[in-house]
Amino acid sequence: MKKIAVLPALLVLAGAGSAQAANFAVIKSPPTLLNFLILIVAVVCMAGSLKVVELIRGGILSKSWQLFLGGFAVLTLAQLATLLNALEIVNLPSFVVPALLILMAGLFLYGVHEAKRTLG
């Protein structure tokens, strides 16, 4: 009986922060819709890259496709952070999203370099 009461008590304590409504009026603005579209495309590209990585299973281009998969994962994370910040659900510092985008570009660049090195 003691174990059953501990979980709800922990959930009540964890949710005891300040409650504020999210800014849902921002959803209809064009930049937010574009960020949402980019998020959907990034998730689809991540799923496609995962399928390619599974198909080549340690082949010569495996490392470059893993880097592309990582780049799409970081892009997904950056777009999610952008949307959460725009909807005022999470308040992030202004350098987080550009840093994620730089990391994404670096992963893509390194993936292209590895593919070029492997094929050339």
Side-chain angles (χ1 to χ4, degrees):
M1 186 67 181
K2 198 178 222 185
K3 291 180 184 178
I4 295 173
V6 171
L7 182 63
L10 287 176
L11 290 174
V12 167
L13 288 175
S18 64
Q20 298 174 3
N23 189 3
F24 289 112
V26 177
I27 291 175
K28 293 182 180 179
S29 70
T32 307
L33 289 175
L34 186 60
N35 284 332
F36 187 68
L37 181 67
I38 293 170
L39 175 67
I40 291 171
V41 170
V43 169
V44 169
C45 290
M46 195 170 64
S49 296
L50 185 62
K51 284 289 189 187
V52 171
V53 168
E54 289 174 357
L55 286 175
I56 57 177
R57 282 180 257 171
I60 59 173
L61 289 175
S62 177
K63 186 173 182 180
S64 62
W65 275 100
Q66 288 173 354
L67 290 167
F68 292 147
L69 176 63
F72 285 124
V74 172
L75 177 61
T76 302
L77 188 64
Q79 290 303 314
L80 203 62
T82 301
L83 286 173
L84 289 176
N85 197 22
L87 294 175
E88 297 174 359
I89 295 173
V90 175
N91 192 10
L92 294 173
S94 61
F95 67 88
V96 172
V97 174
L100 287 172
L101 292 175
I102 288 172
L103 179 62
M104 176 212 61
L107 285 170
F108 282 149
L109 183 65
Y110 189 52
V112 169
H113 175 71
E114 284 294 319
K116 182 181 172 187
R117 196 182 74 172
T118 302
L119 297 174

